[in-house]
């Protein structure tokens, strides 16, 4: 893709030394051309979260999902394999699967073309009289799938390295902490449409420098001094124990129910848009949050709540309420930063507040995210 060179002066590129570097320049957020580069070089090359494999537990289960802005259908075929296809009819592009279902075939609701669970077109109404109609040319387009810790990931790039080589250890916590990934079940999904650039939402997630100011009350969930954050190219592995009182409640619940004790909360991020939270409730608890980039100025922030063995009870609903409160505190920030970035009044490039001794509050993760993006823009000529 040809990208016009932007004004060569007036901003600094993100440097190799976080302490010396200015933050990512605002034009990478506000210029729609940056979003075009990101669609191609970030979202169409990275492994993206799709769903939990329990959501397609049985042969024939079909689940429409969105990943990286693309409509997909994840299904389980007759051999028990989890597969994913673009949820786009080869006839004239209609969405084939509108809601979760279980069937041997996928039938397009527009003109009724029918596909089997391997994506092959098996019936196309009123085409018998067409001389050169070849159904083989009209399969659903398949997408690469990888399963890890009970979760299903997709990648649009056939050349992309394997998931295990790119995701880092973020999700390994699930089994490392003694949990069985198969026992997590999706209990609730909450979507938050936000008018912002998707990177602003990641920037916000990978630092907790803002937490004591923007989230009064959040401290009770963490022992500040005991938190850690491992910042790497694949993302940030972060976590820490809750306060002693919360931990005691949690411990009692785990003992009573025979659940392994997850004594630490993990709240990590994996490139590019996968956020992950484990623990932090009076029972094993998993959240996968994704940011769906709708346009350069719009996202859907999606919370997927998974519960261990059982349906949400009052405690878990209270937990969802607490998370919702944090998100409601963050959303005006995400929109406020977006407005500021578009303002003539914004000087443009602050510095990273790096403090490696205080992993809870440092902005090193933001630098890492920006640094990786800067290399992508550089390669694309922007
Ligand atoms: S678009 Fe699907 S059958 Fe026509
Ligand atoms: Fe926040």
């Amino acid at each position: 893709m040809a990208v016009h060179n932007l004004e060569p002066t007036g901003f600094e590129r993100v440097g190799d030394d976080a302490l010396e570097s200015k933050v990512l320049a605002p034009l990478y957020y506000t210029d729609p051309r940056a979003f075009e580069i990101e669609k191609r070089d970030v979202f169409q090359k990275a492994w993206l979260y799709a769903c939990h494999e329990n959501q397609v537990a049985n042969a024939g289960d079909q689940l429409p999902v969105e990943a990286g802005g693309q409509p997909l259908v994840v299904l389980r075929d007759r051999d028990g394999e989890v597969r994913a296809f673009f949820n786009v009819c080869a006839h004239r592009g209609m969405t084939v699967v509108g809601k979760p279902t279980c069937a041997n075939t996928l039938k397009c609701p527009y003109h009724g073309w029918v596909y089997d669970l391997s994506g092959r077109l098996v019936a196309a109404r009123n085409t018998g009289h067409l001389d050169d109609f070849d159904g083989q040319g009209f399969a659903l387009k398949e997408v690469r799938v990888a399963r890890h810790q009970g979760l299903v990931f997709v990648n649009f790039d056939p050349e992309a390295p394997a998931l295990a080589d790119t995701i880092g250890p973020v999700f390994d916590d699930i089994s490392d902490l003694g949990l069985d990934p198969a026992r997590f079940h999706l209990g609730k999904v909450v979507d938050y449409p936000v008018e912002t650039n998707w990177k602003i939402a990641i920037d916000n997630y990978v630092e907790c420098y803002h937490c004591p100011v923007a989230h009064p009350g959040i401290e009770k969930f963490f022992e500040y001094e005991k938190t850690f954050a491992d910042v790497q190219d694949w993302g940030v592995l972060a976590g820490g124990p809750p306060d002693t009182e919360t931990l005691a409640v949690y411990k009692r619940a785990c003992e009573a129910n025979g659940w392994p004790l997850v004594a630490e909360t993990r709240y990590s991020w994996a490139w590019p848009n996968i956020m992950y939270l484990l623990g932090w409730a009076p029972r094993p608890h998993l959240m996968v949050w994704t940011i769906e980039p709708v346009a350069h100025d719009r996202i859907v922030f999606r919370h997927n709540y998974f519960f261990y063995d059982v349906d949400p009870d009052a405690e878990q609903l209270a937990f969802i309420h607490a998370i919702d409160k944090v998100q409601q505190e963050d959303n005006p920030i995400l929109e406020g930063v977006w407005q500021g970035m578009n303002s003539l009044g914004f000087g443009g490039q602050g510095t990273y507040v790096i403090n490696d001794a205080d992993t809870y509050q440092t902005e090193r993760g933001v630098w890492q995210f920006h640094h990786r993006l800067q290399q992508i823009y550089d390669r694309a000529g922007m």
Side-chain angles (χ1 to χ4, degrees), residues 197-233:
N197 181 272
W198 71 277
K199 299 187 292 297
I200 292 174
I202 304 289
D203 294 347
N204 180 64
Y205 189 84
V206 298
E207 54 91 350
C208 225
Y209 179 40
H210 73 283
C211 293
V213 180
H215 304 300
I218 207 174
E219 298 88 345
K220 85 182 185 75
F221 294 109
F222 301 108
E223 293 259 26
Y224 278 92
E225 317 75 45
K226 295 186 187 155
T227 57
F228 68 91
D230 180 16
V231 179
Q232 301 287 341
D233 203 40

Side-chain angles (χ1 to χ4, degrees), residues 102-286:
C102 184
N104 275 329
T105 55
L106 296 76
K107 183 174 178 184
C108 178
Y110 195 1
H111 312 96
W113 283 23
V114 180
Y115 304 88
D116 69 13
L117 295 174
S118 66
R120 214 162 45 95
L121 182 69
V122 290
R125 287 173 48 244
N126 299 5
T127 53
H129 64 288
L130 299 177
D131 288 342
D132 53 357
F133 184 80
D134 176 9
Q136 285 193 357
F138 295 102
L140 294 178
K141 218 169 150 193
E142 191 156 8
V143 174
R144 280 176 79 190
V145 162
R147 288 153 72 181
H148 182 54
Q149 296 286 344
L151 303 168
V152 179
F153 298 84
V154 291
N155 196 312
F156 304 120
D157 179 5
E159 308 294 322
L163 175 74
D165 298 335
T166 61
I167 198 91
V170 170
F171 292 93
D172 294 346
D173 286 343
I174 296 173
S175 55
D176 289 353
L177 292 170
L179 298 164
D180 176 0
R183 285 166 66 180
F184 280 108
H185 292 267
L186 185 68
K188 194 173 172 65
V189 179
V190 188
D191 278 355
Y192 300 87
V194 188
E195 287 184 23
T196 195
N197 181 272
W198 71 277
K199 299 187 292 297
I200 292 174
I202 304 289
D203 294 347
N204 180 64
Y205 189 84
V206 298
E207 54 91 350
C208 225
Y209 179 40
H210 73 283
C211 293
V213 180
H215 304 300
I218 207 174
E219 298 88 345
K220 85 182 185 75
F221 294 109
F222 301 108
E223 293 259 26
Y224 278 92
E225 317 75 45
K226 295 186 187 155
T227 57
F228 68 91
D230 180 16
V231 179
Q232 301 287 341
D233 203 40
W234 41 256
V236 180
L237 186 72
D243 69 315
T244 339
E245 197 185 319
T246 308
L247 190 59
V249 173
Y250 188 24
K251 205 170 165 202
R252 279 199 296 278
C254 286
E255 278 166 5
N257 291 283
W259 296 317
L261 175 68
V262 183
E264 270 187 12
T265 297
R266 295 287 166 88
Y267 43 93
S268 301
W269 161 67
W271 172 269
N273 67 335
I274 307 166
M275 287 147 290
Y276 156 96
L277 190 147
L278 188 70
W280 194 15
R283 65 183 60 202
H285 176 99
L286 170 67

